[in-house]
Amino acid sequence: MSDILTCQKCETKNRVTNPPAGQVPVCARCGAPLPWLHDGTDASFAEDTRAGVPVIVDFWAPWCGPCRVMGPILEQIAQDMPGKVRIVKVNVDENPRSPAQFGVQGIPTLVMFKDGEAVDQIVGAVQKPLLVERIRHLQNLA
Ligand SMILES: [Zn+2]
């Protein structure tokens, strides 16, 4: 599944599929790394969570109030850290298998992946600075 990602530098809209292993999506016009937001699914979950940068999976649902708080925070983080993190939003109503696989009991739950493996989890809504700190920690892991 492809995403439309807007370049922060030149505002070009880029149609992006999952890039080759270890690469991040860049703007076709100016080469800048793109804020990497993706709607994940059960079918593509393994591929969605494999990236050369930390991946934050947001298990959410449209009816969940705290999820609606987390959504914009995650979008801001994608904008703040282009080429440094991938945000994958998984609607648990439409995709029940992936949250079951990771023992998700309630939403929002954020599961963080490094090199395709789940390494950290945050249950419930959190403030942006805490989330940024946890992502930086993942980036610093060798
Ligand atoms: Zn660009």
Side-chain angles (χ1 to χ4, degrees):
M1 199 170 84
S2 63
D3 303 299
I4 304 291
L5 304 178
T6 303
C7 178
Q8 293 172 311
K9 291 235 165 78
C10 71
E11 296 182 0
T12 296
K13 291 190 189 335
N14 289 264
R15 180 175 290 279
V16 170
T17 52
N18 282 332
Q23 294 183 23
V24 297
V26 295
C27 178
R29 188 165 160 211
C30 75
L34 297 165
W36 204 3
L37 264 171
H38 175 68
D39 284 317
T41 64
D42 278 344
S44 61
F45 194 81
E47 195 185 355
D48 292 339
T49 52
R50 216 182 297 126
V53 293
V55 178
I56 314 303
V57 177
D58 175 26
F59 289 111
W60 75 288
W63 45 263
C64 155
C67 298
R68 289 198 293 269
V69 175
M70 285 314 295
I73 292 175
L74 288 160
E75 279 164 34
Q76 278 169 25
I77 286 175
Q79 298 289 337
D80 291 352
M81 304 174 127
K84 307 274 187 219
V85 67
R86 183 183 206 192
I87 307 292
V88 176
K89 295 178 65 73
V90 175
N91 181 324
V92 299
D93 288 343
E94 294 169 1
N95 303 281
R97 285 207 317 273
S98 310
Q101 189 185 342
F102 292 94
V104 172
Q105 305 277 339
I107 52 174
T109 292
L110 306 178
V111 181
M112 305 188 179
F113 290 80
K114 176 92 177 168
D115 301 324
E117 294 201 24
V119 291
D120 198 1
Q121 191 172 115
I122 297 176
V123 178
V126 287
Q127 305 273 329
K128 186 179 168 193
L130 175 74
L131 197 49
V132 169
E133 195 178 300
R134 299 276 276 265
I135 294 168
R136 293 237 164 88
H137 176 69
L138 288 183
Q139 287 167 338
N140 292 335
L141 296 176

